[in-house]
């Protein structure tokens, strides 16, 4: 800012300060004196007009006297107004002080009391939830066991487990064991007519699940009596044509000791008279006549996994086991045999799950469909149960943690609206690259 402007603002400030301090008083004084002079002058004119004239000096004195009386009258009136104003201001100040005390009282007494009551209500709700859980017969039995051993930390562990579950309930999230999850699905299946879902398990693992995990087979048994509309979630369509090779490589890399068992289970579920070329290829690569015969009887002519688990792998020596694995690796390295196995996987999957259960969608298309509702990358399976064509219950799984599954409740109507639209698109597009039906994968 320039020096001139700064000085100019200072001058204006001084003028405004002078006006506030003296100007208003001066104007009031002038107005009062002008009013008194006017009253005195009119009094002089009135007296001068009387028939009996009095001398002009007396007229002037009368006018001055009336003006002076008017002055004292105004002064008395202003003093009354001033007293009334002061009294009103004092009352206002008193009210403000009382209000301030009330606010302090509200802040220091009332609000803390309310917070304390609210805290009690919250604690009671949490306590009620825990007590309700404790009232289940299973918890009563558990509580009795804990009472017998108060010296250990079981009681504290149970308390914190329950508190942790209460926190999850607030987010509509729940931790279930695999067994508990399957029982829940069984209950839902009994109560509802249909299930619309997106599942992340590719067809190959429906026939031979990943090692140390028989979850999919159990899951399939819980939903087989229900009409299931299923979209299999994939990265890209080409993966469905190369399932066997990819699964073989994954098992070999992560669970190499379980690779032979996994392949034998898969072959047992898939191979039939139409796929003799595969079994013949395996047999041709076996030099041991005993293994050839046992392979035929255990894998090709049986549907019982136990025969592989206990009647075959358990009984053969390590060198014969390696010979069998080498023969199966030769199948993996043969493009024509891989193609035949992949065809069989898809054909058998469609036979088991019907056309409405054999649709597929890629991750990008699925994420776009659910955009604004939730981010699909955080969820595994998403499903909604239908009763009388109305959505009733919707859920999403949030990954598996060993033998546990985290599951979250979802809005049924919104999930159903999205899934119904996707199933319509998958059926209509059929041969699409990002959504469609598996039955068109190997059309000539």
């Amino acid at each position: 800012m320039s020096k001139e402007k700064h000085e100019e603002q200072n001058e204006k400030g001084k003028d405004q300060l002078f006006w506030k301090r003296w100007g208003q008083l001066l104007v009031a004084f002038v107005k009062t004196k002008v009013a008194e002079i006017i009253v005195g002058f009119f009094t002089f004119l009135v007296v001068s007009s009387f028939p009996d004239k009095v001398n002009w000096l007396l007229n002037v004195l009368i006018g001055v006297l009336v003006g002076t009386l008017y002055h004292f009258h105004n002064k008395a009136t202003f003093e009354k107004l001033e007293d009334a104003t002061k009294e009103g201001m004092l009352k206002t100040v008193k009210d403000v002080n009382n209000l301030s005390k009330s606010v302090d009282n509200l802040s220091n007494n009332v609000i803390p009391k309310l917070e304390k009551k609210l805290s009690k209500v919250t604690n009671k709700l949490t306590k009620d939830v825990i007590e309700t859980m404790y009232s289940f017969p299973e918890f009563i039995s558990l509580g009795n066991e804990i009472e017998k051993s108060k010296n250990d930390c079981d009681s504290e562990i149970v308390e914190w487990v329950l508190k942790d579950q209460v926190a999850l309930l607030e987010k509509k999230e729940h931790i279930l064991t695999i067994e508990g999850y399957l029982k829940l699905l069984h209950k839902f299946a009994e109560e509802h007519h249909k299930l619309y879902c997106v599942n992340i398990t590719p067809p190959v693992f429906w026939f031979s699940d990943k090692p140390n995990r028989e979850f999919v087979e159990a899951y399939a048994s819980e939903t087989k009596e229900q009409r299931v509309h299923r979209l299999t979630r994939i990265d890209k369509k080409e993966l469905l044509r190369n399932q066997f090779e990819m699964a073989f490589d994954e098992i070999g890399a992560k669970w190499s000791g379980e690779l032979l068992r996994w392949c034998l289970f898969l072959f047992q579920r898939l191979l039939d008279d139409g796929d003799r070329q595969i079994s013949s290829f395996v047999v041709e690569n076996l030099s041991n006549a005993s293994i050839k015969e046992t392979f035929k009887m255990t894998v090709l002519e049986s549907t019982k996994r136990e025969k592989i688990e206990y009647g075959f792998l358990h009984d053969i020596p390590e060198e014969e086991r390696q010979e069998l694995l080498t023969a199966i690796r030769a199948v993996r390295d043969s493009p024509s045999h891989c193609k035949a196995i992949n065809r069989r996987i898809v054909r058998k999957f469609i036979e088991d799950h019907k056309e409405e259960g054999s649709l597929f969608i890629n991750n990008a298309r699925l994420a776009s469909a659910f955009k604004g509702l939730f981010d699909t990358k955080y969820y595994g399976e998403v499903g909604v149960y239908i009763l009388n064509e109305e959505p009733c219950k919707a859920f999403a799984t949030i990954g598996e943690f060993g033998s546990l599954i985290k599951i979250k409740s979802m809005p049924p109507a919104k999930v159903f609206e999205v899934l119904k639209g996707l199933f319509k698109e998958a059926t209509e597009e059929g041969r699409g690259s990002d959504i469609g039906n598996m039955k068109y994968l190997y059309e000539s």
Side-chain angles (χ1 to χ4, degrees):
M1 183 183 291
S2 66
K3 184 178 180 181
E4 291 78 5
K5 288 186 177 179
H6 187 69
E7 290 178 352
E8 183 180 344
Q9 286 187 355
N10 284 340
E11 291 298 326
K12 286 183 178 178
K14 291 178 180 178
D15 292 342
Q16 290 175 354
L17 184 61
F18 177 81
W19 171 254
K20 287 181 180 179
R21 183 174 295 177
W22 303 107
Q24 295 177 2
L25 291 174
L26 183 61
V27 169
F29 176 77
V30 171
K31 285 182 178 179
T32 302
K33 293 305 174 185
V34 168
E36 292 172 3
I37 291 170
I38 292 172
V39 170
F41 177 71
F42 275 102
T43 302
F44 173 78
L45 292 178
V46 171
V47 174
S48 299
S49 64
F50 288 167
D52 296 327
K53 301 280 186 180
V54 293
N55 63 54
W56 66 273
L57 180 59
L58 185 59
N59 285 350
V60 171
L61 291 173
I62 293 172
V64 170
L65 179 62
V66 172
T68 302
L69 291 173
Y70 178 73
H71 165 75
F72 286 113
H73 169 74
N74 282 346
K75 186 177 180 181
T77 303
F78 286 142
E79 287 176 352
K80 286 182 180 179
L81 287 173
E82 185 179 4
D83 291 341
T85 302
K86 286 180 179 179
E87 185 179 349
M89 290 177 68
L90 288 172
K91 186 175 183 302
T92 302
V93 170
K94 186 177 179 181
D95 291 341
V96 169
N97 289 334
N98 290 336
L99 179 60
S100 178
K101 290 179 181 178
S102 298
V103 171
D104 289 339
N105 181 58
L106 187 66
S107 176
N108 297 328
N109 298 304
V110 178
I111 291 178
K113 287 180 181 178
L114 288 175
E115 289 177 344
K116 190 174 181 180
K117 287 183 178 179
L118 182 60
S119 177
K120 286 182 179 179
V121 171
T122 304
N123 291 335
K124 186 177 185 305
L125 286 174
T126 303
K127 183 172 178 289
D128 287 346
V129 172
I130 293 175
E131 286 180 350
T132 300
M133 296 176 73
Y134 267 128
S135 69
F136 294 159
E138 293 85 353
F139 279 109
I140 293 174
S141 175
L142 178 61
N144 292 334
E145 291 297 320
I146 292 173
E147 283 294 319
K148 295 176 184 177
S149 55
K150 285 186 176 180
N151 292 330
D152 59 29
C153 62
D154 279 347
S155 58
E156 290 188 42
I157 292 174
V158 171
E159 179 184 357
W160 283 103
V161 166
L162 293 176
K163 285 184 177 180
D164 188 56
Q165 292 301 310
V166 169
L168 286 174
L169 288 172
E170 293 174 354
K171 298 188 293 184
K172 295 186 177 181
E173 295 179 0
H174 321 278
I175 300 292
L176 291 173
T177 62
I178 295 292
E179 183 181 2
Y181 178 62
L182 292 174
K183 287 180 179 179
L184 178 66
L185 295 184
H186 180 76
K187 178 178 181 293
F188 286 164
E190 286 184 331
E191 295 173 350
H192 302 87
H193 300 151
K194 298 177 186 177
L195 168 63
Y196 282 76
C197 68
V198 178
N199 192 281
I200 61 174
T201 305
V204 62
F205 290 127
W206 284 82
F207 304 112
S208 185
D209 203 357
K210 294 180 181 180
N212 305 318
R213 182 175 173 270
E214 298 178 2
F215 168 60
V216 175
E217 187 174 345
Y219 173 85
S221 68
E222 293 299 341
T223 58
K224 66 181 179 180
E225 301 300 329
Q226 190 177 37
R227 188 177 179 187
V228 179
H229 297 258
R230 178 182 292 104
L231 280 163
T232 296
R233 177 177 172 176
I234 56 172
D235 287 329
K236 52 185 178 179
K237 185 177 180 178
E238 288 69 25
L239 300 181
L240 292 172
R241 296 194 181 98
N242 303 300
Q243 294 180 70
F244 172 65
E245 304 97 291
M246 294 190 64
F248 188 100
D249 295 343
E250 181 185 358
I251 304 300
K254 295 181 179 178
W255 305 279
S256 58
E258 300 292 328
L259 182 58
L260 179 58
R261 187 197 318 266
W262 179 81
C263 284
L264 295 179
F265 286 161
L266 180 67
F267 287 175
Q268 186 184 62
R269 291 286 304 275
L270 291 178
L271 302 183
D272 58 17
D273 291 339
D275 295 314
R276 283 297 177 187
Q277 57 172 324
I278 300 169
S279 57
S280 298
F281 188 86
V282 173
V283 172
E284 287 170 6
N285 282 274
L286 294 173
S287 58
N288 188 299
S290 175
I291 296 180
K292 286 185 180 182
E293 189 60 31
T294 307
F295 177 79
K296 290 179 181 178
M297 292 176 58
T298 307
V299 179
L300 304 182
E301 299 173 7
S302 172
T303 58
K304 295 181 179 180
R305 295 180 61 154
E306 291 79 9
K307 281 197 172 184
I308 294 175
E309 183 75 35
Y310 301 108
F312 185 32
L313 295 179
H314 236 44
D315 297 335
I316 63 175
E318 181 62 26
E319 61 271 16
E320 293 182 3
R321 187 181 290 108
Q322 289 302 320
E323 182 182 345
L324 182 56
L325 184 56
T326 300
I328 293 176
R329 284 187 185 279
V331 174
R332 159 66 183 89
D333 295 334
S334 169
S336 62
H337 287 89
C338 285
K339 185 176 181 180
I341 293 174
N342 284 318
R343 281 178 178 269
R344 179 59 184 147
I345 288 171
V346 173
R347 188 169 77 244
K348 177 66 173 169
F349 188 78
I350 296 173
E351 288 174 4
D352 291 349
H353 299 281
K354 313 307 177 189
E355 188 173 332
E356 64 268 20
S358 306
L359 305 173
F360 68 88
I361 185 170
N362 70 8
N363 288 324
R365 183 89 173 242
L366 184 68
S368 176
F370 277 101
K371 188 176 182 180
L373 186 55
F374 57 82
D375 191 339
T376 56
K377 72 180 180 181
Y378 295 115
Y379 300 96
E381 183 171 12
V382 179
V384 57
Y385 285 90
I386 310 299
L387 181 63
N388 298 325
E389 303 305 321
E390 292 294 328
C392 299
K393 298 180 180 73
F395 69 95
T397 60
I398 316 174
E400 297 171 35
F401 315 96
S403 60
L404 299 176
I405 285 182
K406 193 174 186 181
I407 183 171
K408 181 177 176 66
S409 166
M410 291 292 182
K414 292 181 179 179
V415 172
F416 182 51
E417 182 181 358
V418 174
L419 287 182
K420 188 167 61 172
L422 289 177
F423 279 97
K424 185 173 184 293
E425 293 168 16
T427 303
E428 291 175 350
E429 296 185 29
R431 297 171 174 81
S433 60
D434 54 358
I435 190 169
N437 198 313
M438 294 183 197
K439 72 177 183 179
Y440 298 113
L441 281 175
Y442 294 102
E443 60 184 2
S444 56

